[in-house]
Amino acid sequence: MAVISFGHTLPDTVSYPTILLDLPQIDGLPLVEVWMSDQPVTMHRTPDCSMAMTSDVLLGSIHVDERSCISLDTTAYEGYRDLLQQIRALGYPHLWRVWNYFPRINDDQDGLERYRRFCVGRHQALTESMIDFPTALPAATAVGTRSGPLQIVFLAGAHPATHLGNPRQLNAYEYPQDYGPRSPSFARATVTRSAHDSRLYIAGTASIVGHTSRHAGLPMEQTKESLRNLRAVLNHAQHVTGVEFTEAQRRALYKVYVREPGLLQDIRRALQDSPLSTHHLVFLEGDLCRRELLMEIEGLIISESFPS
Ligand code: 3EB
């Protein structure tokens, strides 16, 4: 359905979406992310948007170039408005999972941090047209690239998914205004089900408890806190949906976003005794949405079990 690469160029003569993110892979063999389906896949393209669809799911990527004089809140608003309109028109109105990427995430733009501007525009587009805002908000990631346009990668479904919070964290959409004029519009996790499996998409998970960042300057401690958050979301998802996500034979993929390559050694050490070390794991260099955050983990856990 699509191929995502982290800094390596990809052929653009293929019919499926190819998504190039300037998030350099920090170590290991160079990997690409490949999305596949055993169902028939159809493609749809517009100048800004590239999508692959099966009967029940759409995987898409939209990019919006940043024009001078236009601040990121407007760019984000336009991107999301376009995205929501496309998925509705194509018959996949339910947002399941979103990945947001753009450069200079922590830079100031006309007196407001670019991440906060992004949150303002996203919030505006979603409140304008999402039925059941904020409970229908999907799990999301927002990470700073080294270069490129605003890129939004998204999964949307013909039927709804289940969106969840984390008992250890305040819902991001309820963050106080200390973190920006509009709260970040995302859920901590999303569960989707098909005839084949159940999937748990865990949003970018960092060292935040309640709404407060913990362990500034300490990569090992931040990693351990993020793992506690990951574990809590996983247990919560299992409890709410009745799907078994913790069993040993589960299939899991994790991405760890790291602010600087120099932090990798400590982060790896903190992950050593966690279940993550035995699963597919890729380390990517990217900036996180709060300056003090040094790392963030996202996950996809696939279970063959069904709700009990
Ligand atoms: C946090 O928990 C960390 O703005 O879409 C993580 C995942 C974070 C997604 C987003 C932000 C986003 O607030 C930051």
Side-chain angles (χ1 to χ4, degrees):
M1 295 182 79
V3 173
I4 302 177
S5 117
F6 314 106
H8 321 285
T9 52
L10 289 169
D12 58 3
T13 50
V14 292
S15 62
Y16 50 82
T18 55
I19 302 159
L20 185 62
L21 303 172
D22 193 359
L23 295 168
Q25 196 183 325
I26 300 177
D27 78 347
L29 287 171
L31 299 172
V32 291
E33 182 175 327
V34 180
W35 287 81
M36 294 187 286
S37 176
D38 52 15
Q39 308 292 310
V41 179
T42 55
M43 308 295 170
H44 183 75
R45 259 177 212 270
T46 70
D48 307 321
C49 199
S50 165
M51 290 167 285
M53 295 162 276
T54 68
S55 60
D56 57 7
V57 65
L58 178 155
L59 175 64
S61 163
I62 192 162
H63 71 267
V64 193
D65 290 314
E66 291 189 57
R67 290 153 289 167
S68 52
C69 326
I70 293 181
S71 56
L72 188 59
D73 39 332
T74 305
T75 310
Y77 173 74
E78 288 172 357
Y80 267 86
R81 198 187 46 189
D82 192 11
L83 183 169
L84 292 167
Q85 199 236 310
Q86 297 273 0
I87 61 174
R88 273 197 199 118
L90 291 163
Y92 306 81
H94 306 282
L95 263 184
W96 281 1
R97 175 68 167 101
V98 180
W99 293 264
N100 304 283
Y101 300 108
F102 53 94
R104 303 179 301 284
I105 188 166
N106 302 125
D107 281 12
D108 179 279
Q109 190 175 42
D110 302 321
L112 189 63
E113 187 189 32
R114 279 166 55 80
Y115 172 66
R116 296 179 178 202
R117 286 200 177 274
F118 166 78
C119 286
V120 169
R122 173 175 60 178
H123 184 276
Q124 192 187 335
L126 288 165
T127 50
E128 271 178 20
S129 69
M130 179 180 257
I131 305 156
D132 296 332
F133 180 94
T135 52
L137 288 173
T141 293
V143 169
T145 50
R146 294 197 309 185
S147 70
L150 167 64
Q151 284 165 290
I152 309 170
V153 181
F154 51 97
L155 270 180
H159 60 86
T162 305
H163 308 292
L164 301 165
N166 180 345
R168 298 184 84 234
Q169 298 183 299
L170 189 67
N171 289 323
Y173 51 79
E174 293 168 341
Y175 280 172
Q177 294 224 338
D178 319 9
Y179 302 102
R182 290 292 177 273
S183 53
S185 311
F186 71 96
R188 298 293 176 192
T190 296
V191 176
T192 65
R193 297 179 187 81
S194 74
H196 309 280
D197 57 37
S198 300
R199 294 173 174 229
L200 171 62
Y201 293 90
I202 302 180
T205 303
S207 178
I208 295 174
V209 180
H211 58 76
T212 315
S213 305
R214 294 280 174 91
H215 320 296
L218 302 170
M220 281 187 80
E221 291 309 313
Q222 287 199 11
T223 306
K224 290 178 188 163
E225 199 68 70
S226 302
L227 286 171
R228 285 191 281 275
N229 279 329
L230 216 60
R231 168 62 50 188
V233 155
L234 216 143
N235 287 340
H236 183 58
Q238 194 159 269
H239 180 76
V240 170
T241 64
V243 178
E244 169 63 63
F245 285 114
T246 54
E247 66 192 39
Q249 69 268 33
R250 74 183 189 204
R251 290 183 284 147
L253 300 154
Y254 293 97
K255 288 195 193 97
V256 182
Y257 300 97
V258 178
R259 194 178 276 280
E260 289 164 30
L263 299 164
L264 183 66
Q265 209 183 350
D266 280 352
I267 292 169
R268 261 195 181 291
R269 200 169 300 144
L271 290 171
Q272 232 160 43
D273 305 319
S274 80
L276 266 70
S277 56
T278 62
H279 293 290
H280 293 285
L281 193 57
V282 60
F283 294 94
L284 303 174
E285 181 184 345
D287 291 328
L288 296 322
C289 62
R290 294 185 187 181
R291 273 168 220 273
E292 65 278 13
L293 296 177
L294 302 173
M295 56 82 62
E296 188 175 295
I297 306 171
E298 67 173 47
L300 166 54
I301 297 163
I302 302 172
S303 171
E304 319 281 311
S305 103
F306 290 94
S308 45

